[in-house]
Every structure is written in structure tokens, then in C-alpha cells.
């Protein structure tokens, strides 16, 4: 937006933070719903979902890096690069990135419409959106891990959620801890960098991505699995609840790790982590 309509830095920062918080809240709600449904089909479905999610993240990050690198290379090839030219290159890179992001969202919407029109969706997923119909009366859903839907009181639902959360506390703490530790030192400190090699920095990011992705995927797959998690005691009605709670732990780890990064910056540089000013 700022590339076409100049606004103050404070207003733009508030706009970006508002959009970021809104997108995070919507994405967390959507991901929790998808994880709960995927858990009904077993660990393989969760593995496929998380692998696809990771692949999309890599594609989006690659587009961002390549679009920025392309315009940085363009500015470096110019003999007389002025501040105005550098600003123009930055704006062009931003426009290209958001144009590609918009194209990706359009493709995702088309793919979604195509998938929900398939017979498998109408047989297996659509009936789950009707809680008044027991699953045992839905043709083709016999292989689902969840038990038939039973109307529960609020107190019973709350008790079941607390019981499952206590049962899977190890998985929940593990998946949250992985992202807290990974994101806490991820802030850009206003000091001389220790690592000056871009390639080495990318390799470190790759190691972090592979390691925390592997551990978190194992936790997400095992927590709601009746085969791998004996603590569930073969209660089929606890499968989607366990998946929902462990996904909440993952989101909480992401949020706490991001917040902790500001505290880490403040301790390391002895400054205000938001304005980089010393007291």
C-alpha cells in the first residue's frame, strides 16, 4: 500500500501489525480445524498435511528472497545508484512479491473449489459438518478414527479437554518448546553480525527448519494417534481433541517464541527492542 499511497511510519506500522495479527488469528483457526479433521484419518493424513504446509512456506519464502535479490542485483548493476533509484527498486520488489502472493492465493482458491467438488469430499468431509448426524449412519466413514458424535454438556466437554491435555502434556510441551527455542534468538540485533556469510546463514536456517519441522511433525502425528500414543487408551472420541490441543500448543510456541525474541534483543543490546534506542 505504501508504494502507491505515502503514509506516516507510525500509521503504516500499525496497519502492518493489525494485518499481521488478523492473518495470524485466522490462520490459527483454520489450521486447528484442518488438523482436527486430518487426525480422524490417522497419522499419514497429518504427515501429508504438514509436509504440504512446509512446502508452501518454502515456496513463499523463496519467492520473497528471489524477488528481493533480483532488484538488488539490478540496483548494483547501475553505475550511479541514487537513493531515489534504490527506493524505486525496493518498491518494485515489494510490488512483485505481493503480485505473486495474490496470484498464489487465487490458485489456492481455485484448487480449494476443485477439491471440495470431488466425490471423496462429499462422502467423507461434508457430513462431518453436520453434527446432528451420527458418523455411524454416514456411508463410507467407517474407517474414521473418531467415534459417533454424542451430544455432551459443556462441563463434560471441558472435563474431556482438560483430561486429554493432561494426558498429552509431554507432546504439548515438546512441540511448543521447539518453536520457542527456535524463534527466541531470531531477532535482528543492531550490532555487528557474528555470521557475515549469507550462505552459512542460509544453512543454519535450513538446519533449524529441518530439525524443528521433524520434531514438531512427530509430535503432531503421535499425539492423536491411537497406535503411537498409548496414553489415549484407545478412546476414539479423544483423537480430534488431542489433535486440536497439540496444534494449540504449536501456535502458542510460535507466539511465545516471537515475543521472547524482543526480550532477547533487549538483553543482548541493552536497548529498546522496538526503537533500538538505548535508555
Amino acid at each position: 500500500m505504501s508504494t502507491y499511497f505515502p503514509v506516516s511510519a507510525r500509521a503504516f506500522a500499525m496497519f502492518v501489525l493489525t494485518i499481521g495479527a488478523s492473518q495470524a488469528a485466522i490462520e490459527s483457526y483454520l489450521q486447528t480445524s484442518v488438523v482436527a479433521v486430518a487426525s480422524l484419518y490417522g497419522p499419514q493424513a497429518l504427515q501429508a498435511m504438514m509436509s504440504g504446509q512446509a512446502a508452501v512456506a518454502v515456496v513463499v519464502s523463496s519467492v520473497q528472497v528471489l524477488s528481493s535479490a533480483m532488484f538488488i542485483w539490478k540496483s548494483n548493476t547501475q553505475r550511479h545508484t541514487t537513493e531515489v533509484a534504490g527506493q524505486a527498486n525496493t518498491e518494485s520488489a515489494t510490488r512483485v512479491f505481493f503480485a505473486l502472493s495474490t496470484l498464489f492465493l487465487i490458485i489456492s482458491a481455485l484448487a480449494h473449489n476443485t477439491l471440495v467438488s470431488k466425490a471423496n469430499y462429499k462422502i467423507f468431509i461434508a457430513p462431518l459438518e453436520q453434527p446432528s448426524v451420527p458418523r455411524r449412519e454416514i456411508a463410507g466413514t467407517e474407517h474414521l478414527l473418531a467415534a459417533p458424535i454424542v451430544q455432551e454438556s459443556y462441563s463434560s466437554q471441558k472435563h474431556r479437554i482438560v483430561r486429554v491435555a493432561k494426558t498429552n502434556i509431554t507432546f504439548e510441551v515438546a512441540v511448543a518448546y521447539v518453536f520457542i527455542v527456535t524463534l527466541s534468538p531470531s531477532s535482528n540485533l543492531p550490532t555487528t553480525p557474528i555470521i557475515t556469510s549469507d550462505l552459512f546463514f542460509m544453512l543454519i536456517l535450513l538446519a533449524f527448519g529441518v530439525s524443528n519441522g521433524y520434531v514438531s511433525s512427530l509430535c503432531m502425528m503421535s499425539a492423536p494417534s491411537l497406535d503411537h500414543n498409548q496414553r489415549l487408551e484407545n478412546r476414539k472420541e479423544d483423537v480430534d481433541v488431542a489433535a486440536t490441543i497439540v496444534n494449540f500448543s504449536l501456535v502458542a510456541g510460535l507466539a511465545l517464541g516471537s515475543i521472547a525474541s524482543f526480550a532477547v534483543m533487549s538483553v543482548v543490546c541493552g536497548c529498546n527492542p522496538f526503537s533500538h534506542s538505548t535508555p
Side-chain angles (χ1 to χ4, degrees):
M1 183 182 73
S2 63
T3 58
Y4 291 101
F5 307 101
V7 295
S8 65
R10 182 181 295 274
F12 183 71
M14 293 301 298
F15 174 76
V16 171
L17 290 175
T18 301
I19 294 298
S22 301
Q23 289 180 336
I26 295 172
E27 192 278 335
S28 298
Y29 179 81
L30 174 63
Q31 177 174 311
T32 301
S33 303
V34 173
V35 168
V37 174
S39 67
L40 303 180
Y41 293 87
Q44 293 80 8
L46 280 173
Q47 182 184 29
M49 187 212 74
M50 297 199 69
S51 298
Q53 188 179 47
V56 169
V58 171
V59 171
V60 173
S61 299
S62 299
V63 169
Q64 184 177 14
V65 171
L66 291 176
S67 60
S68 300
M70 180 176 62
F71 287 97
I72 291 175
W73 173 82
K74 180 180 178 181
S75 63
N76 289 337
T77 57
Q78 297 176 352
R79 293 184 177 180
H80 304 287
T81 302
T82 62
E83 182 178 351
V84 175
Q87 179 67 21
N89 288 331
T90 302
E91 293 178 357
S92 299
T94 303
R95 290 168 185 167
V96 170
F97 172 70
F98 280 102
L100 292 175
S101 299
T102 302
L103 178 62
F104 180 77
L105 289 176
I106 294 174
I107 294 175
S108 299
L110 294 175
H112 175 267
N113 290 334
T114 301
L115 291 174
V116 298
S117 65
K118 298 293 184 181
N120 287 339
Y121 178 86
K122 296 178 180 179
I123 294 175
F124 299 122
I125 305 300
L128 299 179
E129 299 175 358
Q130 303 174 7
S132 60
V133 181
R135 290 192 183 100
R136 59 190 173 189
E137 297 179 5
I138 302 174
T141 61
E142 294 81 5
H143 69 286
L144 290 178
L145 294 178
I149 297 176
V150 178
Q151 295 295 332
E152 291 182 312
S153 63
Y154 173 77
S155 59
S156 299
Q157 294 177 354
K158 182 179 179 181
H159 174 73
R160 185 154 65 98
I161 292 173
V162 173
R163 174 175 55 79
V164 175
K166 291 180 178 179
T167 300
N168 286 342
I169 188 66
T170 303
F171 293 110
E172 295 153 9
V173 172
V175 72
Y177 178 78
V178 166
F179 288 99
I180 292 175
V181 173
T182 303
L183 295 178
S184 294
S186 63
S187 56
N188 296 318
L189 300 177
T191 57
T192 303
I194 299 176
I195 301 173
T196 58
S197 172
D198 292 338
L199 177 60
F200 189 42
F201 179 73
M202 291 294 182
L203 291 177
I204 293 177
L205 289 182
L206 177 62
F208 270 121
V210 172
S211 59
N212 72 31
Y214 179 74
V215 174
S216 61
S217 296
L218 288 180
C219 293
M220 293 290 294
M221 293 166 58
S222 300
S225 173
L226 298 179
D227 296 328
H228 300 93
N229 185 8
Q230 301 301 323
R231 298 183 181 91
L232 292 180
E233 298 179 353
N234 206 34
R235 294 191 179 98
K236 294 183 178 180
E237 67 273 13
D238 290 347
V239 170
D240 51 350
V241 177
T244 302
I245 295 174
V246 75
N247 184 75
F248 174 81
S249 301
L250 185 150
V251 175
L254 291 171
L256 293 176
S258 300
I259 295 172
S261 66
F262 293 102
V264 172
M265 174 186 284
S266 178
V267 172
V268 173
C269 70
C271 62
N272 186 326
F274 301 100
S275 64
H276 296 172
S277 60
T278 56

